[in-house]
């Protein structure tokens, strides 16, 4: 089994993950806990509407580390800005969240990043 296969299996089981991004201004590693989501057959990072330091860091430095139980993986984030793709992905994610506000608020104000595992 490849590391990518192990990562996919771990991501299927683990919704809470940690990521380490590189600070856009400081250049220093920044580790945070966040949730991963699955939609359109792929894995995503997002958050409720609002600005996020991890997203700004990822825009500046798309390569980051994904921490899963027993695995620290180099991955790449692909920021999703295309309105149709955002609508499709958020259309799968938001209805599963009983605490989420409207789909429209997520489309307007939430970051959306695809996790690219095959590096």
């Amino acid at each position: 089994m490849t590391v990518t296969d192990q990562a996919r299996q771990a991501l299927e089981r683990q919704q809470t993950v940690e990521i380490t991004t590189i600070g856009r201004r400081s250049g220093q590693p920044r580790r945070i806990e966040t949730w991963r989501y699955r939609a359109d057959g792929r894995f995503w990072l997002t958050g409720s509407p609002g600005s996020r330091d991890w997203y700004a860091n990822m825009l500046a430095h798309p390569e980051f580390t994904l921490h899963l139980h027993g695995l620290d993986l180099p991955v790449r984030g692909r920021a999703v800005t295309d309105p149709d793709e955002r609508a499709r992905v958020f259309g799968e994610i938001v209805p599963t969240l009983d605490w989420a506000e409207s789909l429209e608020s997520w489309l307007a104000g939430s970051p959306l990043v695809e996790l690219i595992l095959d590096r």
Side-chain angles (χ1 to χ4, degrees):
M1 178 181 310
T2 68
V3 171
T4 302
D5 292 336
Q6 288 178 312
R8 289 184 197 288
Q9 287 181 0
L11 279 167
E12 289 289 349
R13 294 186 307 269
Q14 188 177 334
Q15 184 172 19
T16 303
V17 299
E18 292 185 359
I19 61 172
T20 299
T21 58
I22 301 301
R24 65 193 174 281
R25 290 188 295 245
S26 70
Q28 297 299 307
R30 303 286 183 219
R31 186 169 176 154
I32 63 151
E33 181 178 276
T34 190
W35 283 5
R36 70 89 190 123
Y37 297 90
R38 186 154 171 76
D40 200 26
R42 295 174 282 171
F43 295 104
W44 308 88
L45 298 178
T46 188
S48 56
S51 63
R52 300 283 181 275
D53 287 340
W54 67 262
Y55 182 67
N57 292 345
M58 198 173 300
L59 290 175
H61 305 282
E63 284 74 29
F64 64 100
T65 303
L66 174 67
H67 306 281
L68 301 168
H69 295 300
L71 294 171
D72 292 333
L73 302 169
V75 297
R76 185 171 51 85
R78 181 182 68 87
V80 179
T81 57
D82 176 74
D84 293 334
E85 185 176 14
R86 288 175 60 80
R88 187 174 57 253
V89 173
F90 279 132
E92 282 189 52
I93 293 172
V94 174
T96 68
L97 307 173
D98 58 359
W99 52 269
E101 295 179 25
S102 70
L103 175 59
E104 290 76 22
S105 68
W106 283 64
L107 288 168
S110 292
L112 182 61
V113 173
E114 180 183 4
L115 291 174
I116 308 295
L117 303 174
D118 304 323
R119 283 192 43 203

